[in-house]
Amino acid sequence: MVRSFWKRRIRNSGLLMVALALVWLWVRTRERNLQPVAHETGYIMIAAVFFLALYNIRKKVPFLPLGTSSTWLQWHLYVGLGSIGVFALHTGWHWPTGIFETSLFALYASTMLSGLFGLYWTRTIPGQLARVGDEVTFERIPALRRRMQWQANETVIESVAASGTTTLADFYSAQMYGFFRLPRGVKYFLRPTTSRRKSLLADMQHLQRYLSEPERKACEKLFALVRRKDELDFHGARQGLLKYWLFVHIGLTYALVLAASLHGLMATAFGGGL
Amino acid sequence: MTEPGPHEAANQYERPNQPWVCGLAAAGHACAAGPTARGRCPTLAECSPKRDSGRWQCNRSALRGGPCDEGPTPEGRCGRVQKCRPVRSLRARRRLFVATCAIAALGSIAILLCGNWREHALRPGALAQQHAQILENADGKSASCGACHPAATQNVTGWVVSLVATDNSLPTQSQLCMNCHAKSIAKDLSLRAHNLPLRTLEQLKSGRQNAVPAAADTVNSQAVSAGSVRPVSAELSDVPVTPSRDDSAMYADAAKPIACAACHREHHGAKADLTAIADDACQACHQQRYRSFSADHPDFGTWPYVRRSPIAFNHASHRGKHFVEKKQAFDCRVCHVTDSSGAVARTLSYETACASCHDEKIATSIGRGVAMFTLPIMDREALKMGGYDIGTWPAAATGDFDGRLPATMKLLLLGDPAGAAAISKLGAAFEFQDVDPKNKEQLAAAASLGAAIRSLLADIGSRGAMAVRERLSASLGRDVTKAKAATLTAGLSLDTLRGAAEWVGPTIKTNSTTPPAVKLAKTSLPYGPTGTWSRDETTFTIRYQPAVHADPVLTAWIELLASTPHLEQRPIALAMFKELTKLTAPGLCATCHSIEQTGADTMVVNWRATSNVQSQRGFTKFTHEPHLVLPQLNDCASCHAVEDAAIAVTAYADNDPRHFVGDFKPITKRQCAECHTHTAAGDSCQSCHNYHVEAVESWHVAAPQSSDKQPPAQLRISDRGWRIGNRNHASAGGGDAPAR
């Protein structure tokens, strides 16, 4: 399976390189013959952008016999990577000075960067998720978080009833209530770490000496709940990243398609011919 | 806090594909029905209580947990009615976000297209400074796109239509370029390769195929044998030039139009160099590959000495002999000075550079003046016996036939049919002493000529320059302008002419209130002051005493004859031309001022050494200024080494400026390649070559086949560095080609 994956990757990468080399040779030949290349590379670019955008539309019409989504994804990835080369040929890597062209350049660069980040995340995050806890459906994470919070609350309340002391309850309300009640912040969303969990567990460890027996048992339960909540947050953050980068990528794609269309229209109309 | 529902999947109805999800899902209490498609909560009860034995019973299904603990209300309604505020699903939120982005982009584009700053915002980049200063509006924001882009006059609909249909009524971009650039480039040739007609390009091709420097024919054999000069053919043999792989393809390409924008890329910023053309652009047609100047470029052959200098100045003899005799230092920069821009080495004027030595010789040559009109000695007795009466003729000019008519006079007599017929009988080179009194035909011709002379003097005496103009126009078969005719007789007074006319006839009365001399004086003369005219009553001659140098009358006569087409077919005119341009002729004009045959069967006299003002742009450019900065090049001789062994006396023997012996050693490519590398002074094609040329002379492109021994085409015109420019002022003798 792994071998077949690498074989496919090498084959597709090779084909991409060959295609780019052919385009480069074609462009060079045209340049040497004083033939226009900006329009031609522009047509390739706009065709590539439209093709890349079609992938999103393809996913909305799964009933049409247009090939598997997996195949489309492969094409999407390699055409997207190839478009970087064509973009380089088209612009010569010159940062434009016009307002509209600068916007177009920035749109393409942003879309491409978001795509590259997405590619990286889709290739790395599933492995990270598989290593952490059970499989969790993204949509159920709020409900699970709520349930964990309820369980933690119940555990603490039961310990108070059983021991008649509020040491654990005070610690819970001061340190752990927010942890269970809320999802993690933006910083954790972008770069999840275990520091909060470690900090909480360490504090709970220190608290143990002041707890009564019933509270100590409840604390054990809270230990487990903290671990599960942290894993749930990790799932939420990582799966959220996988979901929300598409917001940016697709949003930019549509803006890019529109701007590129206007650019192509103007380039054709203003080309001037001879 | 109520206990959340179980999180097992079986107990929840997930709707990730639906636009709305239950608002209670986050709490684990999502209802089974879920929101409506419009996102409204149906507010459904978990069961429909049934009345049984007078009591309402909960009938919630076992799948939902069975009958609830609370049970129905006393009114029989379900006590567990779920009501929520539905929330958008993740997919719906994404769709909304994407739609917002698209609408924002569309709106931005609409604003962009409808705003009055559309042109400023849409232009792809700032214009180059040269264009910006013309096209940018005063506010510095709006650009007049329509000046270069026909589409700028259309709206968006027009742009869309242009995708499928070309509007031929709109000018092309290159045509718009020519609205401003037509002064420097001919409109009809603007899209041609090098702005040259196809015929000229073909001539270039043939010129290239026959391109063997004429100097190869005339390289001084002594110098060659001495080993100090290599024959140009030898130079060429070193040139690593092979025929282009496909010349025919290159010239086929030349027929294709090239848009201005193919090379000149705009909108790359104010400081972008519009004329910076990559070498690849040149090699689109010139397909012989040049990796670098030092490695592949052919040697220069004889460049820049591709023709003799317009002024016949022998550097070797001046340096080795004349300056030595005068005990003066031979310093190049005394004569070749830079102009006000410091860029171009110019030759000083005659008065500054030459007069101190040459005025004396010229003055000697014009000592007796030039006979322009004279009366021959007529044999009145013989004529009388032959039945001819020549009328009034001075007694002192009567006797045996004798005398020689000046060529000027013969030329003017040719303008009279009777005179032309007489000269035709006597021959172009006749002299009166050759007239045989016993030959009736010659006698008749002599009598006729005598009458024609009387008529000539009377005509000129009465009408002055106008008569000269008409007669010369008739004799030379070309139009002689009024100004030219005035210059030909500049300073010749009416009194002088009338007096001459009275030698052979009655006093001339004229109605003209203004004497011809005054009329002529009004004519602006391009040269120095005129000489003086005198009437010799002893020899019955009107003589012209030229000024020492640059005499306007002599130069006008020489120019008139040189510019007459097919002069060789007019023996009288040719004889006069030869008389005025021989090395011992009065004024010694042709001693220094070379005469060249042009393509139009005319000749031109090089009155000036170089004229950078008038020079036309050629294929090769060179400017001294940046080179003279280098200490090692500060000495002119470091490049322009005088060839002492060359004997240049034959260089001006004929009228082909390419048949010459250079008095400088050839400049080798190696000298230039020391600095002109890719990493140093640059070795792009553009460093030395122009693309847009203004003119190509026929003699540049149609090299004469001077010898069958010469090898066939191996060099290109451009490779040889042949200057294609003004025929009078081509780069020779170290003059600068203007770098525009």
Side-chain angles (χ1 to χ4, degrees):
Chain A
M1 181 72 178
V2 172
R3 179 177 290 182
S4 127
F5 173 76
W6 273 103
K7 274 175 71 177
R8 186 185 71 186
R9 179 173 284 182
I10 291 169
R11 182 197 65 203
N12 292 350
S13 300
L15 286 173
L16 175 66
M17 292 298 159
V18 170
L20 278 179
L22 288 175
V23 171
W24 180 78
L25 278 174
W26 178 67
V27 167
R28 287 286 295 161
T29 306
R30 285 187 67 86
E31 277 181 337
R32 286 186 168 179
N33 289 317
L34 281 183
Q35 292 170 319
V37 294
H39 282 92
E40 281 64 21
T41 51
Y43 294 144
I44 295 174
M45 267 307 292
I46 206 162
V49 167
F50 272 97
F51 177 79
L52 293 168
L54 275 179
Y55 177 49
N56 188 44
I57 297 170
R58 158 70 187 84
K59 288 198 290 187
K60 295 183 189 307
V61 284
F63 48 89
L64 290 179
L66 297 173
T68 64
S69 183
S70 167
T71 307
W72 272 84
L73 177 61
Q74 288 301 306
W75 278 98
H76 184 83
L77 294 178
Y78 286 100
V79 170
L81 290 171
S83 74
I84 298 175
V86 181
F87 185 74
L89 288 173
H90 184 60
T91 63
W93 286 126
H94 294 307
W95 183 267
T97 53
I99 296 172
F100 177 68
E101 303 244 334
T102 304
S103 308
L104 184 60
F105 192 104
L107 268 177
Y108 174 79
S110 310
T111 312
M112 183 49 59
L113 275 177
S114 68
L116 290 173
F117 274 115
L119 176 63
Y120 172 73
W121 286 327
T122 52
R123 290 293 179 269
T124 55
I125 288 177
Q128 296 170 7
L129 294 175
R131 287 194 295 273
V132 179
D134 301 327
E135 287 186 16
V136 180
T137 305
F138 182 70
E139 285 77 9
R140 289 187 191 152
I141 286 176
L144 291 173
R145 186 185 301 120
R146 182 72 176 269
R147 184 164 188 79
M148 276 184 203
Q149 184 195 2
W150 182 83
Q151 287 174 343
N153 285 352
E154 286 301 305
T155 303
V156 172
I157 290 168
E158 283 172 8
S159 75
V160 172
S163 65
T165 59
T166 62
T167 309
L168 182 62
D170 292 341
F171 177 80
Y172 175 79
S173 61
Q175 300 283 338
M176 301 175 73
Y177 181 77
F179 174 74
F180 280 106
R181 190 172 73 87
L182 298 170
R184 307 291 272 272
V186 175
K187 190 177 173 185
Y188 183 85
F189 181 81
L190 294 173
R191 186 177 169 77
T193 64
T194 56
S195 58
R196 181 83 190 275
R197 180 178 74 173
K198 287 175 180 171
S199 167
L200 276 177
L201 292 179
D203 289 346
M204 289 167 72
Q205 194 69 40
H206 294 145
L207 188 68
Q208 290 258 357
R209 70 182 79 168
Y210 307 108
L211 299 180
S212 60
E213 189 56 31
E215 283 180 321
R216 197 168 288 123
K217 285 179 181 173
C219 194
E220 291 297 327
K221 286 183 183 176
L222 286 178
F223 266 118
L225 282 172
V226 166
R227 286 196 187 91
R228 283 179 56 200
K229 172 65 168 56
D230 190 59
E231 289 170 359
L232 190 68
D233 285 343
F234 183 77
H235 272 272
R238 297 276 88 183
Q239 288 192 46
L241 200 58
L242 280 179
K243 303 280 183 187
Y244 288 115
W245 79 268
L246 270 177
F247 278 57
V248 177
H249 187 62
I250 299 176
L252 288 171
T253 298
Y254 279 91
L256 176 64
V257 165
L258 288 168
S261 300
L262 176 64
H263 174 71
L265 174 66
M266 287 187 56
T268 307
F270 280 67
L274 288 172
Chain B
M1 184 178 184
T2 57
E3 181 182 0
H7 69 275
E8 284 76 15
N11 293 330
Q12 289 205 31
Y13 179 31
E14 309 289 352
R15 295 177 178 83
N17 289 332
Q18 296 296 318
W20 297 93
V21 293
C22 180
L24 299 174
H29 295 290
C31 71
T36 65
R38 290 176 178 273
R40 288 180 184 163
C41 178
T43 324
L44 295 176
E46 290 188 3
C47 73
S48 296
K50 291 176 70 177
R51 195 176 180 86
D52 185 17
S53 306
R55 294 191 63 177
W56 293 97
Q57 301 288 335
C58 176
N59 68 344
R60 192 169 72 172
S61 73
L63 286 174
R64 296 187 184 179
C68 65
D69 296 336
E70 296 88 344
T73 62
E75 293 81 20
R77 286 197 286 269
C78 177
R80 297 175 66 95
V81 178
Q82 300 281 17
K83 182 166 176 59
C84 73
R85 179 175 289 180
V87 295
R88 290 179 189 275
S89 67
L90 184 72
R91 180 164 295 198
R93 277 184 280 154
R94 193 172 76 197
R95 193 175 298 135
L96 188 66
F97 178 81
V98 169
T100 305
C101 287
I103 290 169
L106 204 58
S108 303
I109 287 172
I111 293 169
L112 199 65
L113 292 174
C114 299
N116 55 6
W117 38 277
R118 179 178 87 171
E119 291 191 342
H120 177 68
L122 286 180
R123 69 176 178 178
L127 292 172
Q129 203 170 24
Q130 296 89 336
H131 287 152
Q133 61 187 347
I134 301 169
L135 298 174
E136 291 281 1
N137 291 340
D139 59 6
K141 291 179 180 176
S142 308
S144 305
C145 302
C148 303
H149 299 284
T153 59
Q154 298 178 311
N155 54 23
V156 180
T157 311
W159 299 349
V160 175
V161 171
S162 71
L163 293 180
V164 290
T166 305
D167 186 354
N168 291 324
S169 66
L170 291 174
T172 64
Q173 197 172 42
S174 296
Q175 284 172 336
L176 289 177
C177 296
M178 296 312 296
N179 284 348
C180 295
H181 292 276
K183 284 184 180 175
S184 54
I185 299 170
K187 266 188 176 180
D188 54 337
L189 298 175
S190 59
L191 301 184
R192 293 284 180 206
H194 296 294
N195 307 129
L196 294 173
L198 274 178
R199 195 169 59 84
T200 308
L201 289 170
E202 283 295 329
Q203 286 176 322
L204 277 170
K205 178 187 176 184
S206 61
R208 180 184 173 218
Q209 287 172 342
N210 302 325
V212 177
D217 304 333
T218 52
V219 165
N220 185 275
S221 58
Q222 294 176 25
V224 172
S225 60
S228 55
V229 173
R230 300 183 69 202
V232 177
S233 55
E235 296 286 344
L236 287 175
S237 67
D238 296 342
V239 174
V241 179
T242 54
S244 175
R245 64 177 172 82
D246 191 354
D247 275 356
S248 60
M250 181 172 95
Y251 286 95
D253 286 345
K256 295 178 185 172
I258 306 169
C260 307
C263 297
H264 304 293
R265 309 283 168 85
E266 249 298 1
H267 295 293
H268 285 252
K271 292 183 179 175
D273 185 0
L274 284 177
T275 60
I277 310 299
D279 291 351
D280 281 350
C282 303
Q283 299 213 295
C285 297
H286 300 270
Q287 293 170 350
Q288 184 178 344
R289 292 291 146 197
Y290 289 85
R291 285 163 300 181
S292 68
F293 169 71
S294 57
D296 303 310
H297 194 285
D299 212 331
F300 303 147
T302 54
W303 186 88
Y305 317 114
V306 294
R307 48 153 294 155
R308 67 194 184 195
S309 61
I311 300 297
F313 181 86
N314 189 329
H315 289 82
S317 64
H318 277 79
R319 187 182 72 164
K321 182 182 175 188
H322 306 310
F323 274 66
V324 173
E325 288 172 354
K326 295 281 181 182
K327 296 181 179 176
Q328 289 183 4
F330 186 83
D331 183 358
C332 306
R333 296 201 176 194
V334 170
C335 294
H336 300 289
V337 296
T338 54
D339 67 4
S340 56
S341 68
V344 183
R346 289 185 170 206
T347 305
L348 288 179
S349 68
Y350 167 86
E351 287 73 17
T352 310
C354 315
S356 60
C357 295
H358 288 272
D359 259 359
E360 188 181 342
K361 284 183 181 176
I362 294 175
T364 305
S365 74
I366 58 175
R368 292 189 66 242
V370 183
M372 302 298 264
F373 300 94
T374 189
L375 285 185
I377 296 175
M378 300 292 274
D379 191 341
R380 182 183 287 274
E381 293 299 321
L383 289 168
K384 196 171 184 179
M385 287 177 65
Y388 303 105
D389 181 12
I390 59 170
T392 307
W393 202 266
T398 304
D400 291 340
F401 285 115
D402 198 5
R404 180 180 169 211
L405 294 181
T408 325
M409 201 169 165
K410 283 185 181 177
L411 211 56
L412 292 168
L413 286 168
L414 279 177
D416 176 4
I423 291 173
S424 172
K425 281 182 185 173
L426 294 170
F430 85 96
E431 294 184 7
F432 270 87
Q433 66 183 23
D434 298 330
V435 176
D436 182 359
K438 296 175 182 174
N439 186 319
K440 287 184 179 179
E441 283 192 354
Q442 289 188 6
L443 204 60
S448 179
L449 203 56
I453 290 170
R454 178 181 293 109
S455 173
L456 168 68
L457 293 174
D459 193 17
I460 295 177
S462 61
R463 296 196 298 136
M466 188 59 72
V468 172
R469 180 189 178 192
E470 288 174 4
R471 283 172 174 268
L472 286 178
S473 295
S475 63
L476 295 176
R478 54 172 289 197
D479 181 43
V480 178
T481 63
K482 193 177 176 182
K484 191 75 174 175
T487 311
L488 292 170
T489 55
L492 178 56
S493 73
L494 191 61
D495 286 342
T496 305
L497 289 167
R498 282 179 186 165
E502 285 169 5
W503 291 335
V504 290
T507 302
I508 297 171
K509 292 179 180 177
T510 176
N511 294 327
S512 173
T513 54
T514 309
V518 176
K519 283 184 178 175
L520 297 176
K522 286 181 178 175
T523 309
S524 64
L525 302 175
Y527 304 101
T530 59
T532 53
W533 295 81
S534 61
R535 191 176 67 228
D536 186 347
E537 299 288 349
T538 309
T539 58
F540 300 103
T541 302
I542 293 178
R543 292 182 183 280
Y544 177 67
Q545 184 71 36
V548 174
H549 183 255
D551 179 79
V553 174
L554 277 186
T555 53
W557 277 101
I558 293 171
E559 275 195 348
L560 174 72
L561 295 168
S563 60
T564 299
H566 301 292
L567 192 66
E568 71 282 359
Q569 295 172 10
R570 303 179 187 281
I572 302 289
L574 182 62
M576 181 179 181
F577 183 68
K578 286 183 176 176
E579 189 175 317
L580 291 175
T581 57
K582 63 185 180 185
L583 295 180
T584 56
L588 306 176
C589 303
T591 309
C592 298
H593 299 285
S594 65
I595 298 164
E596 294 172 8
Q597 189 76 38
T598 68
D601 297 320
T602 59
M603 288 176 285
V604 67
V605 185
N606 294 309
W607 296 117
R608 297 186 187 280
T610 56
S611 173
N612 294 294
V613 176
Q614 295 175 11
S615 289
Q616 290 176 296
R617 189 182 172 96
F619 277 122
T620 306
K621 60 184 177 183
F622 178 84
T623 179
H624 280 99
E625 186 185 21
H627 295 86
L628 296 179
V629 172
L630 300 174
Q632 64 268 33
L633 298 182
N634 213 14
D635 177 14
C636 303
S638 59
C639 293
H640 303 288
V642 175
E643 178 53 77
D644 293 323
I647 299 173
V649 70
T650 58
Y652 298 88
D654 64 25
N655 293 338
D656 188 339
R658 286 181 300 167
H659 287 182
F660 77 111
V661 177
D663 52 356
F664 289 98
K665 293 175 182 174
I667 295 175
T668 62
K669 185 187 76 170
R670 191 176 62 253
Q671 289 174 271
C672 303
E674 286 176 10
C675 294
H676 283 279
T677 62
H678 180 65
T679 53
D683 64 348
S684 69
C685 304
Q686 251 199 322
S687 299
C688 303
H689 295 295
N690 292 316
Y691 173 78
H692 295 288
V693 296
E694 292 172 348
V696 179
E697 274 190 332
S698 59
W699 58 264
H700 275 294
V701 293
Q705 291 299 298
S706 56
S707 169
D708 293 335
K709 297 173 186 175
Q710 300 303 336
Q714 281 198 323
L715 278 177
R716 302 172 183 202
I717 294 297
S718 55
D719 294 344
R720 294 263 297 101
W722 284 8
R723 180 76 171 85
I724 306 227
N726 185 285
R727 58 180 178 246
N728 293 344
H729 313 295
S731 64
D736 263 356
R740 295 183 191 178

